[in-house]
Amino acid sequence: MSAELLKLSAASAAAAIRAGELDGDELFEFYRARAAADELNAFTWVSEDAPAAPPAGAPLAGLPLAVKDLFCTAGVPSQAGSKILEDYRPPYTATVVARLTDAGARLLGKTNQDEFAMGSSNENSAYGPVLNPWDRRRVPGGSSGGSAAAVAAGLAPWALGTDTGGSIRQPAAFSGIVGLKPTYGACSRYGMIAFASSLDQAGPLTRDVTDAALLFRHMAGQDANDSTSLAFPEEVRLPSRVDLTGVRLGVPEELTGAGGGIEAGVRASFDEALERARGLGASVHACSLPHAPHALSAYYIIAPAEASANLARYDGVRYGLRVAGDADLATMYSRTRAQGFGAEVKRRIMLGTYALSSGYYDAYYATAQRVRTRIAEDFRAVFTEVDFIVTPTAPTTAFELGAKSSDPLAMYMNDFCTVPMSLAGIPAISIPCGLSDGLPVGLQLAGPAFSENALLDAAYAIEQALGFDPSPARATGGRAS
Ligand code: GLN
């Protein structure tokens, strides 16, 4: 029975529950037990019992949902991977989580992440690193590493993550699952603990493209509590396309050429996926995003600048940790922040504060914003020639724990192919496209703003043709390998 339950995608489990063929409470308990026995450190909190089942016929049918620790969940620890928010239990729930539970999902647990979503390996969590279920000596990617590992290992049927510069797509790639970063504004940011507000987006991490569409359908929509959110212009459809006739795929030289440091095994899987796409009727074109090589530099100014402002609120007064003793106020602030934040968060606060300081603002922040505009213009221009951009999601497969911890620039290079889309605010999806030395490789597809339906359709067609087998990770799920 349990092997069969594990094989069911979220969409098919929901359908089976609604058809009366599967007991929703039994399924919840199945995953709850698996999550509670987590050996990957994917969860920071697991529900002790099942929340009440939703009314019969609810679209998400009481399915368990793993939620990144970055989302506020009322009364439940929401720590964003940081010591400064240790055991912080917010009085309210993030809009996307509330929408999903309104649609019938049930909170299974909160997942581990890099502190305040700053990182690409989940090693920046105050709650310890997450292990990759494909190889426990390796990282699952980050910052949504706990969500990715939980889904890949079958500790949850699906999960929520957030993506500021790649944090859904890169861990999805490293863990052999699907991750969608929606158009900026498609999902409300209300109740998401802020990192870089002009970039942060919530999105699904799932086993397949259909599940990503289903979860996204119940997340998207305008929210009066987030003035940057927008109504999705059409109904989010479940994908059904099986061919790519007439679809033009663009391969940008700037992201796939020598500058990106793409590993040979990643390139081989990527080329094979493009061959499959051609076999489905797509045409593949070389194209250019002239400013994309500067995306990483611009991102690592803009994101820390916004973070330095957003993280000013953690002062020991309003939330979480306070290190006071007999100190005066200023000393209490600095002691709290010195002890509450980890090294990477401090690095970003210092970089961001510097980039925004008078005298340097124009040289750094304003320049980065101009580069950002150019990057968005590049995408607009290229989408008059091709329908989607395709790249490897990350230049490498999952690396070993500790391999890049002492070299921030090497760590930042992971985001080379994902950051341009974040700066442009456009949707992008990562799907598994093969293995390199036994480790999953991700294929990224990106499209114009609000093209999620078409993007999911194209990804689905390629997914069907590739027939990727995710079972090795699930086989080692909750047990020692
Ligand atoms: N790895 C990138 C960073 O460290 C992106 C993180 C994210 O998308 N939240 O900023």
Side-chain angles (χ1 to χ4, degrees):
M1 182 64 185
S2 68
E4 275 159 44
L5 286 182
L6 210 46
K7 268 194 219 139
L8 283 180
S9 71
S12 26
I17 294 169
R18 284 199 311 271
E21 293 154 8
L22 179 65
D23 184 77
D25 289 334
E26 197 183 306
L27 185 78
F28 193 94
E29 183 47 34
F30 170 76
Y31 277 107
R32 207 201 59 74
R34 285 182 69 82
D38 167 28
E39 292 180 355
L40 305 171
N41 200 26
F43 285 90
T44 48
W45 178 88
V46 175
S47 175
E48 273 182 3
D49 39 37
L60 300 182
L63 290 187
L65 175 70
V67 173
K68 187 178 185 180
D69 202 21
L70 197 90
F71 291 89
C72 286
T73 42
V76 168
S78 305
Q79 311 168 122
S82 183
K83 191 175 160 192
I84 213 158
L85 284 176
E86 190 162 4
D87 204 35
Y88 170 61
R89 292 169 190 254
Y92 69 104
T93 296
T95 298
V96 291
V97 177
R99 277 189 193 209
L100 289 166
T101 51
D102 286 349
R106 290 189 276 185
L107 180 63
L108 171 67
K110 300 294 289 285
T111 56
N112 202 343
Q113 59 163 100
D114 284 301
E115 185 176 7
F116 290 108
M118 297 175 191
S120 310
S121 67
N122 217 112
E123 293 168 295
N124 296 335
S125 168
Y127 304 95
V130 177
L131 312 183
N132 188 318
W134 290 82
D135 176 348
R136 292 181 180 208
R137 289 163 305 176
R138 292 175 191 271
V139 304
S143 65
S144 309
S147 287
V151 173
L155 309 180
W158 53 8
L160 275 188
T162 64
D163 190 311
T164 303
S167 277
I168 288 174
R169 292 162 283 164
Q170 184 258 19
F174 277 19
S175 305
I177 61 168
V178 172
L180 170 69
K181 182 204 88 76
T183 304
Y184 182 80
C187 300
S188 169
R189 287 181 298 108
Y190 181 70
M192 263 167 59
I193 295 169
F195 164 13
S197 306
S198 76
L199 296 156
D200 297 343
Q201 262 301 286
L205 289 117
T206 57
R207 286 188 200 161
D208 64 28
V209 177
T210 304
D211 282 357
L214 180 60
L215 203 57
F216 175 60
R217 170 192 280 178
H218 294 286
M219 296 170 66
Q222 194 160 27
D223 176 10
N225 287 326
D226 173 5
S227 59
T228 64
S229 67
L230 287 153
F232 200 75
E234 52 195 4
E235 190 199 336
V236 177
R237 291 187 302 270
L238 298 192
S240 58
R241 187 164 183 159
V242 288
D243 73 299
L244 292 177
T245 311
V247 172
R248 298 160 302 171
L249 301 178
V251 181
E253 163 62 24
E254 293 81 359
L255 296 180
T256 57
I262 296 170
E263 267 176 11
V266 170
R267 178 167 304 281
S269 283
F270 175 66
D271 289 342
E272 221 179 286
L274 291 183
E275 243 348 275
R276 291 296 176 96
R278 276 198 199 92
L280 295 171
S283 55
V284 179
H285 307 263
C287 67
S288 177
L289 295 168
H291 300 88
H294 305 295
L296 213 51
S297 316
Y299 172 86
Y300 277 98
I301 295 290
I302 293 168
E306 295 185 21
S308 71
N310 272 327
L311 271 55
R313 72 191 64 169
Y314 304 105
D315 53 10
V317 177
R318 287 168 282 189
Y319 310 92
L321 183 74
R322 175 181 305 170
V323 186
D326 53 4
D328 59 47
L329 192 60
T331 312
M332 186 280 283
Y333 287 163
S334 68
R335 280 187 192 162
T336 298
R337 290 168 68 84
Q339 289 189 33
F341 290 137
E344 182 63 22
V345 172
K346 286 178 186 161
R347 183 187 347 260
R348 306 254 184 138
I349 292 173
M350 285 187 274
L351 282 173
T353 305
Y354 180 75
L356 291 176
S357 58
S358 84
Y360 297 103
Y361 182 96
D362 282 338
Y364 293 110
Y365 185 72
T367 305
Q369 291 289 24
R370 281 194 288 274
V371 172
R372 181 178 191 173
T373 302
R374 292 293 167 84
I375 289 168
E377 287 167 357
D378 284 355
F379 277 109
R380 271 196 289 278
V382 90
F383 287 134
T384 64
E385 295 159 16
V386 299
D387 299 296
F388 304 108
I389 292 289
V390 285
T391 72
T393 306
T396 69
T397 54
F399 46 87
E400 289 186 9
L401 287 151
K404 300 188 192 222
S405 313
S406 56
D407 186 350
L409 280 183
M411 190 71 90
Y412 298 172
M413 276 306 286
N414 262 282
D415 308 326
F416 188 73
C417 291
T418 50
V419 151
M421 295 77 183
S422 299
L423 289 172
I426 60 175
I429 189 168
S430 178
I431 63 168
C433 69
L435 296 178
S436 164
D437 282 336
L439 295 169
V441 175
L443 170 73
Q444 176 178 234
L445 291 100
F450 295 106
S451 68
E452 275 86 343
N453 275 327
L455 190 64
L456 288 157
D457 253 341
Y460 176 81
I462 298 174
E463 172 187 60
Q464 301 309 304
L466 286 169
F468 179 79
D469 176 11
S471 51
R474 254 177 268 159
T476 68
R479 263 150 238 108
S481 44

